[in-house]
Amino acid sequence: MEFIVCKFGGSSVATSEKLRQIVKIMETNEQRRCIVLSAPGKAPGFNIKITDLLIEAAKKAIRCEDYVSVLTDIKTRFLSIYEPLKVPTGVINEILSDLDSRLASDKNHTGKFRDLIVAAGEDLNCRLFAQYLNVIGIKATYISPKEAGLIVTPVFGDAQPIGDVSLKLASLKSIIPEQIIIFPGFFGFTEDGDVATFSRGGSDLTGAILAESLDVSEYENWTDVDGIFSAHPHMVSNPQLIPALTYKEMRELSYIGFNVLHEEAVKPVMRKKIPIRLRNTNNIENEGTLIVSERLPSERDVIGVASGGGYCSFTLQKFLMNREKGFGRRLLSIFEDLDLSYEHCPSGVDNISVILDQGQLKPEAVNTIIRTIHDQLHPDEIRTEFGIALVSVVGEGLIHKIGVMAQAATALSRAGVNIKMVNQGSSEISIIFGIDASDEKKAVNALYDEFFAR
Ligand code: ASP
């Protein structure tokens, strides 16, 4: 039998109603036999995610401050979700008491302690959800990432799965025909047996690791939106839903502006070419967006238009720069030495620009960069510019289609948008334009109209 891994995000597990909805989703397709849950997110009357409450409790405990009221809020929240589902209060309280032992544990290593507390959101939620399923007569079992062998690096708060993890998890395959697996997202265990979490949003990664290990036919990622749209709904009104796109297209779109999946979640599924389907828990009828390794050539050439603001550029002019060996390397190493990462580095005959996310720059950094460039590279001129937006046109079709660049540039010029920089990535599946931030919405709409509304 083929299986599907389903991961439900924080908003999909935020209330009793949502959990009933998950059961309905499980029942409509019997292949959904491995369920990964996040910790409850925001819900009406609860405007803080459980994960954030746990972070607060951990901070207070580390500083030896009183955390009782935060702890009470966390427990009350879980009780408010599971009591209406008829999970006996005694059972809920017993499961929640695990939090008391976690908070009382050793705090010498703050990272370790923090992760132990924060991971409880997913862990307790899964134990409770498995109880709920049992109460309503569904055979399901909570699986601990420790017993299953989800071993991760000891980088607390930003752990990564360790090499052969998928082999270990593959043994879960034997349980699945008998019982539905309920697996907590967001964390694993180090080789020393300590809990270590992934970075925020990391339950997506857990789902992807399980999808790879169990060789599933599909990885369903359930959230509160219908899927991925061709442009951000804040920028374009009623953009089209993308029915299918490739892993690479998704990566390009999420690079600027599209907050789709946790960045690291694509890698495990990509290795085995397992399709990911993004779906809406609140709109089961909608098929969502499918992310695959290859799309049919007949589908759209351009799949989406993404954008994001807050970039700046350092542009150097130096006569005969093209003959100076190592110029680019030395320029980029100035940024590296200041621990800054750059996004693009377009160059001309005698000029080169470095474009970076200006959010990383401390106020004094700009002068330091300019001074160092002057001292080390002796350019004729340096220009800086802030408040740049990047707009990108993405699609596998760009590789073979002639004229996409011309079409995009014409659309921008018709809309009166000045192009400051163009970068057609080496992958050839995106064209990125640097424009003035004040033109961002105009540019996105012009490009969307050009490629989708005609
Ligand atoms: N609960 C964690 C967070 O809020 C992980 C997740 O939901 O994926 O980041």
Side-chain angles (χ1 to χ4, degrees), residues 401-422:
K401 175 113 195 265
I402 297 170
V404 178
M405 170 76 91
Q407 243 182 300
T410 310
L412 291 176
S413 89
R414 259 199 316 264
V417 174
N418 180 28
I419 301 172
K420 294 170 183 290
M421 183 256 342
V422 186

Side-chain angles (χ1 to χ4, degrees), residues 12 19 76 104 111-112 123 154 168 178 218 228 235 269 292-294 312 334-335 417:
S12 303
L19 295 184
T76 311
K112 246 187 230 181
D123 204 35
K168 295 204 180 85
E178 302 300 319
E218 198 166 290
I228 307 178
M235 287 284 164
V269 277
V292 286
S293 64
E294 273 165 46
C312 65
I334 293 172
F335 291 89
V417 174

Side-chain angles (χ1 to χ4, degrees), residues 7 9-10 38-39 49 51 122 186 199-204:
K7 179 259 166 178
S38 286
K49 296 177 176 185
T51 304
E122 280 50 28
F186 190 38
S199 55
R200 291 298 301 262
S203 300
D204 286 344

Side-chain angles (χ1 to χ4, degrees), residues 289-422:
T289 295
L290 191 64
I291 308 167
V292 286
S293 64
E294 273 165 46
R295 336 190 241 122
L296 297 174
S298 58
E299 287 160 345
R300 284 192 170 282
D301 294 315
V302 171
I303 204 85
V305 178
S307 70
Y311 296 91
C312 65
S313 69
F314 291 79
T315 301
L316 282 69
Q317 182 76 35
K318 188 173 186 187
F319 190 59
L320 295 182
M321 176 194 288
N322 62 330
R323 293 212 205 137
E324 237 181 273
K325 291 196 182 86
F327 193 90
R329 179 186 49 76
R330 280 182 285 146
L331 173 61
L332 292 178
S333 69
I334 293 172
F335 291 89
E336 186 183 344
D337 292 346
L338 291 167
D339 200 24
L340 298 168
S341 72
Y342 77 98
E343 306 297 326
H344 301 281
C345 187
S347 61
V349 183
D350 283 336
N351 43 47
I352 185 164
S353 294
V354 180
I355 296 178
L356 49 154
D357 179 346
Q358 70 192 40
Q360 332 165 60
L361 294 180
K362 297 201 185 78
E364 66 282 5
V366 177
N367 287 336
T368 313
I369 294 168
I370 295 176
R371 206 176 338 105
T372 320
I373 292 176
H374 269 301
D375 293 350
Q376 296 186 8
L377 298 170
H378 316 291
D380 302 329
E381 191 194 330
I382 306 179
R383 262 183 300 117
T384 52
E385 202 168 336
F386 294 85
I388 295 176
L390 298 180
V391 182
S392 113
V393 173
V394 176
E396 296 270 359
L398 266 64
I399 298 174
H400 53 78
K401 175 113 195 265
I402 297 170
V404 178
M405 170 76 91
Q407 243 182 300
T410 310
L412 291 176
S413 89
R414 259 199 316 264
V417 174
N418 180 28
I419 301 172
K420 294 170 183 290
M421 183 256 342
V422 186

Side-chain angles (χ1 to χ4, degrees), residues 65-221:
E65 289 168 15
D66 185 5
Y67 53 73
V68 174
S69 74
V70 190
L71 181 59
T72 310
D73 287 350
I74 297 167
K75 290 188 175 181
T76 311
R77 181 76 197 282
F78 276 115
L79 283 159
S80 80
I81 298 175
Y82 286 97
E83 272 185 329
L85 298 175
K86 307 272 184 298
V87 178
T89 309
V91 173
I92 304 178
N93 281 328
E94 201 196 309
I95 291 176
L96 294 179
S97 69
D98 177 42
L99 201 45
D100 302 294
S101 348
R102 290 185 191 227
L103 281 159
S105 63
D106 181 41
K107 300 171 186 57
N108 278 331
H109 189 307
T110 51
K112 246 187 230 181
F113 176 74
R114 178 206 164 273
D115 280 15
L116 178 68
I117 305 304
V118 177
E122 280 50 28
D123 204 35
L124 302 182
N125 199 31
C126 283
R127 287 172 198 257
L128 290 163
F129 186 67
Q131 290 290 335
Y132 163 50
L133 294 180
N134 293 339
V135 166
I136 57 172
I138 297 177
K139 272 192 173 176
T141 183
Y142 157 84
I143 297 283
S144 150
K146 190 174 194 171
E147 283 152 30
L150 179 41
I151 306 296
V152 298
T153 53
V155 183
F156 297 96
D158 193 14
Q160 304 281 328
I162 285 183
D164 61 353
V165 77
S166 84
L167 286 175
K168 295 204 180 85
L169 292 171
S171 62
L172 292 177
K173 275 185 194 162
S174 60
I175 305 177
I176 292 183
E178 302 300 319
Q179 305 233 52
I180 292 177
I181 286 181
I182 312 298
F183 200 101
F186 190 38
F187 71 95
F189 282 79
T190 65
E191 267 158 352
D192 289 341
D194 297 309
V195 170
T197 70
F198 301 132
S199 55
R200 291 298 301 262
S203 300
D204 286 344
L205 176 55
T206 310
I209 296 168
L210 282 168
E212 182 192 20
S213 317
L214 302 174
D215 272 320
V216 297
S217 55
E218 198 166 290
Y219 170 28
E220 287 182 342
N221 194 291

